[in-house]
Amino acid sequence: MTSKFPRIKLLLFVFLASIPAAFSQSLVPLTVGKIMRDPKMWIGTSPSDITWADDSKTIYFNWNPDKNPSDSLYGYSLSDKKISKIKLADRKKLAGRNGVYNRRQDVRLYEKNGDIFIVDPKGQPWQITNTVDRETNPVFSQDELSFIFVRNNNLFSIKLTTGQNTQYTDFKTGNKKDDPKPGEQEKVFKAEQLALFEVLKERKEKKDLGKKVTEAEKPQRPKEIYIGDKSVSHQQLSPNQKFVTYRLTKPDKSAKSTNVPNYVTESGFTDDISSRVKVGAPASSYEFWVYDIEKDTTRKLSVKDIPGINDKPDYLKDYPKQDTAWKKKERDVVIHGPIWSENGENAVVVVRSLDSKDRWIMQLNIDSLSLKLLDRQRDEAWIGGPGIGGYPTSAGEIEWLDNETIYFQSEETGYSHLYSFNIKTGKKTALTSGKFEVQNVTLSKDKKSFYIITNEVHPGEQHLYRFASTGGKRMQLTQNTGAHEATLSPDETKIAIRYSNSTSPWELYIMDNPKPGEKPAQPQRVTESVSKEFLSYPWREAKVVTIKATDGLPIYARVYEPKKSNGKAVIFVHGAGYLQNAHKWWSQYFREYMYHNLLTDKGYTVLDMDYRASSGYGRDWRTGIYRFMGGKDLTDNTDGAAWLVKNYKINPRSIGVYGGSYGGFITLMGLFTKPDVFKAGAALRPVTDWAAYNHPYTANILNEPQADSLAYRKSSPIYHAAGLKNHLLICHGMVDVNVHYQDVVRLSQRLIELGKDNWELASYPMEDHGFVEASSWTDEYKRILKLFEDHL
């Protein structure tokens, strides 16, 4: 009897051979090894660092379509619509990609490789300095006949007409040594000598007269300013050239840094990498000084009269002894600026408290060295948000609209919006409003229009708008679903757009800037960066949904739906805390995005949540973790787990969780404090004890450990490790200078002493916080997959 199977196999072979290549390739399952390869070798490299030529005829950007070890500079010509790689010789001749324009906006001053250049109205760069010393921060003088710059920490100017080089400051480290003063015996003896000997007396008179003549003929030089063990920065010459403002910073040398051992080295010996200090370490102090050139004197700006400078934080109520001991303590601040009006008559400064509870915008009278309050933003959690900056060392978005009006951003209403303030009338105007954030601001050269990027269409979209600088109706310039980054051409007739959506990496587009009354044109694509291999797989567009939190607020999330569910789910927790990932553009977590596609192919449902503290949702969401990390942020994720059970029929005993950095921290807190929710978890490079993390980030949220120990105790996984019941995988780079490997070593010892045996630690000897090697990524994610496959 003849078998029919060979005939069936032949027909099947013919059928498969007839399937289009792209479709047949999509049938090939994803593997961890495939998606964790070097992204530039199989996905492609998106264009970045977009800038324009001064003549507005060429767009420059970094790109790597040839899969070289690093990106190169490319140019797109608007005239012939062609992309070309800029040769090294030509690149050296190009004008720098930074700098400041004059008031007519036709001449640009910039620094390149430590020298200063100027671009003329024809777009031709001219080199002004060529020295071994580094010149930085060039700006035009008030009359625009000179430019001012910093060299060796001192302020200089060069006159464009004559080339005259003037030095305005003479900062010196250390302390000035006083001339030795004679004692009483020496004074008496000297007087007797001059009285007894006429020749000595005559010679002294001649010497004193000569010294007097020499001093009279001596050219005027800047005052020697001794700064001791402090460092000087932010040197500025006032527009009238009568004053120099500067900041002095004094580091506390008692602050102890952490050493990170590097075991795998070229020498074969262990090297120590000097890393950061831990939160609560003694901080640097800042002072704002003014040098009066005519009077040859220096004065320190006093902050004692700033409204609220003595206000104590509310959290001290939990510590009666500290609360009672406060006694009008003057808080430490850092002062940014001054920012001068165009006519040079008015100046404002931004004052930030080092405890991050306050930001003051104040008018500075440089003659009387006094401050006048214009705007104060107070937050018992911490000041932050788009255009404001989450740390005291940020001045935020602030500039002059005219000689009497400034604009700035504030979270006064709970969302970061744009405001103007007239210093003459005292009138403050909200230029934007609503339950959305202004995330980027550009002022037109004539100062008549703002170009802003907001998320008002949807928290997961970013669009470009234009509107009058006096406020009013906004014109939406971009329409495609996703995110847009915009760079105006110098003549402001064109806009370079970097655009992406949830399934496509960033590409470069260009569009005309519509004239008043015109409708915006559709942007035209410039680059094609993504490989055919990447496009051969039908990447899923995850649904962006809202999930009701326990406290009734909506949590935005991405959900990846399998065609056929296996009843299991994985919750991914993004890192950084203040970051957004439930959006409609290409995620910076692109490896995780691809991994979620792999999990979904296997039948898993994947949820990716913008839990409390994520960016994009306003002040209250941002500060929702104040004094309790692992509180509402964790509850949001457990609410997501319950939502999966209800809406996707997930087995409540088959939910896993994973994430890196902050996501690793949440994973630990989930397994330690919510063991009935998560069956297994992978904590990647996790923070295990917030007292061991850095100061700027952690002190904002939990205050300092020596002042708010309750917050640290509640928020640190190491204190909750006894609650581990289910399966835990920890992965950590051993040369991590952000979250130190020491963190996970301490947790390991704690788990050992607790007798826990359902955990494992995978260490990566050559990896920092963000992995680099494809082999490390592959090993890590194979372990995560095995964890879920074995234990869900």
Side-chain angles (χ1 to χ4, degrees), residues 408-561:
F408 58 92
Q409 283 182 251
S410 172
E411 280 188 326
E412 178 182 321
T413 63
Y415 294 85
S416 182
H417 281 292
L418 203 55
Y419 295 83
S420 65
F421 189 97
N422 186 291
I423 63 170
K424 186 175 181 179
T425 65
K427 182 181 179 181
K428 180 179 176 180
T429 304
L431 301 176
T432 62
S433 62
K435 291 185 176 181
F436 63 89
E437 292 183 333
V438 175
Q439 299 180 323
N440 185 271
V441 178
T442 299
L443 182 64
S444 64
K445 289 184 175 180
D446 62 9
K447 298 190 175 184
K448 293 181 179 180
S449 300
F450 280 116
Y451 294 83
I452 63 173
I453 288 177
T454 80
N455 62 352
E456 58 191 282
V457 170
H458 184 279
E461 294 188 42
Q462 294 179 344
H463 287 283
L464 177 66
Y465 297 80
R466 185 181 70 200
F467 70 106
S469 58
T470 53
K473 187 177 180 180
R474 294 183 294 278
M475 180 182 188
Q476 186 174 337
L477 301 180
T478 57
Q479 307 296 328
N480 295 330
T481 300
H484 302 78
E485 298 173 357
T487 308
L488 277 170
S489 62
D491 63 10
E492 298 186 350
T493 63
K494 305 281 184 182
I495 307 173
I497 301 282
R498 227 172 65 106
Y499 165 77
S500 77
N501 59 40
S502 59
T503 60
S504 303
W506 298 88
E507 297 286 4
L508 177 62
Y509 291 74
I510 187 171
M511 65 179 289
D512 291 328
N513 189 5
K515 297 177 181 178
E518 289 183 348
K519 289 186 177 180
Q522 184 71 13
Q524 301 300 306
R525 187 166 177 169
V526 173
T527 59
E528 299 279 350
S529 305
V530 182
S531 71
K532 291 181 179 179
E533 182 183 4
F534 179 80
L535 292 173
S536 69
Y537 178 85
W539 302 103
R540 291 170 179 81
E541 183 174 355
K543 285 185 178 179
V544 177
V545 299
T546 56
I547 298 170
K548 191 174 182 179
T550 299
D551 58 6
L553 296 177
I555 315 166
Y556 284 83
R558 273 181 166 186
V559 60
Y560 298 76
E561 301 175 337

Side-chain angles (χ1 to χ4, degrees), residues 13-189:
F13 174 78
V14 172
F15 169 72
L16 290 173
S18 67
I19 297 175
F23 182 70
S24 65
Q25 285 179 322
S26 70
L27 294 178
V28 178
L30 294 177
T31 65
V32 174
K34 179 177 180 178
I35 61 179
M36 296 299 162
R37 286 178 290 165
D38 184 345
K40 71 172 176 287
M41 300 306 294
W42 81 280
I43 299 176
T45 304
S46 294
S48 62
D49 296 330
I50 314 300
T51 56
W52 285 87
D54 288 273
D55 60 7
S56 299
K57 295 179 180 178
T58 305
I59 305 173
Y60 294 107
F61 53 96
N62 290 335
W63 202 31
N64 191 3
D66 300 325
K67 303 177 182 178
N68 292 320
S70 61
D71 293 359
S72 298
L73 183 66
Y74 283 77
Y76 173 74
S77 170
L78 272 63
S79 58
D80 59 20
K81 297 184 178 181
K82 290 183 179 180
I83 298 175
S84 59
K85 188 174 182 178
I86 309 300
K87 296 178 181 178
L88 181 60
D90 295 330
R91 189 169 181 168
K92 289 181 178 180
K93 297 176 184 177
L94 285 178
R97 302 161 77 179
N98 54 55
V100 294
Y101 281 93
N102 61 352
R103 280 191 286 275
R104 290 180 57 183
Q105 302 292 326
D106 61 351
V107 175
R108 181 166 61 97
L109 195 63
Y110 67 92
E111 176 259 328
K112 184 178 180 181
N113 299 325
D115 289 311
I116 296 174
F117 295 75
I118 196 165
V119 178
D120 65 21
K122 295 181 180 179
Q124 178 67 37
W126 299 91
Q127 187 165 358
I128 307 298
T129 67
N130 186 4
T131 65
V132 175
D133 291 327
R134 190 175 185 85
E135 290 92 22
T136 59
N137 305 323
V139 294
F140 286 101
S141 61
Q142 178 68 19
D143 60 12
E144 297 190 336
L145 297 177
S146 305
F147 68 90
I148 303 155
F149 60 95
V150 176
R151 176 194 290 155
N152 291 330
N153 288 329
N154 285 303
L155 271 181
F156 293 81
S157 73
I158 292 181
K159 211 168 190 61
L160 293 169
T161 52
T162 65
Q164 179 183 344
N165 191 345
T166 302
Q167 182 173 345
Y168 293 97
T169 62
D170 187 15
F171 293 109
K172 295 184 179 296
T173 57
N175 299 309
K176 184 177 181 180
K177 295 181 180 179
D178 296 327
D179 294 331
K181 295 181 179 180
E184 291 301 319
Q185 180 191 33
E186 292 179 76
K187 290 179 183 178
V188 172
F189 193 62

Side-chain angles (χ1 to χ4, degrees), residues 80 128-129 196 226 247 294 324 443 450 483 542 591 669 759:
D80 59 20
I128 307 298
T129 67
L196 286 171
Y226 286 84
R247 180 193 296 172
E294 290 182 354
T324 305
L443 182 64
F450 280 116
R591 288 185 177 88
M669 290 295 276
W759 63 281

Side-chain angles (χ1 to χ4, degrees), residues 732-744:
H732 209 125
M734 295 178 69
V735 287
D736 191 334
V737 296
N738 183 11
V739 180
H740 299 148
Y741 184 70
Q742 181 190 28
D743 257 31
V744 80

Side-chain angles (χ1 to χ4, degrees), residues 598-663:
L598 182 155
L599 289 174
T600 310
D601 284 347
K602 291 178 173 292
Y604 291 84
T605 302
V606 181
L607 187 63
D608 175 1
M609 307 188 74
D610 276 343
Y611 53 87
R612 221 65 60 106
S614 297
S615 62
Y617 307 99
R619 178 191 62 205
D620 292 345
W621 199 262
R622 173 178 64 80
T623 61
I625 58 171
Y626 179 58
R627 297 191 71 203
F628 190 8
M629 300 159 91
K632 290 180 180 179
D633 46 359
L634 176 57
T635 303
D636 288 342
N637 282 281
T638 58
D639 287 340
W643 181 84
L644 286 171
V645 173
K646 179 180 178 181
N647 292 276
Y648 284 87
K649 310 303 180 187
I650 298 300
N651 182 342
R653 294 188 176 185
S654 296
I655 300 176
V657 61
Y658 88 102
S661 197
Y662 199 98

Side-chain angles (χ1 to χ4, degrees), residues 26 42 64 72 129 137 196 231 241 243 273 451 453 515 527 554 557 655 679 703 720 748 753 766 772 776 783:
S26 70
W42 81 280
N64 191 3
S72 298
T129 67
N137 305 323
L196 286 171
S231 60
Q241 300 190 6
F243 303 95
I273 302 171
Y451 294 83
I453 288 177
K515 297 177 181 178
T527 59
I655 300 176
K679 184 67 174 179
N703 304 306
H720 306 283
S748 297
E753 292 183 8
M766 300 189 71
V772 174
S776 300
R783 292 176 186 271

Side-chain angles (χ1 to χ4, degrees), residues 10 42 183 190 205 236 277 380 431 460 487 513 523 749:
L10 178 62
W42 81 280
K190 184 176 180 180
E205 290 174 351
Q236 279 194 64
V277 299
E380 285 299 334
L431 301 176
T487 308
N513 189 5
Q749 180 62 27

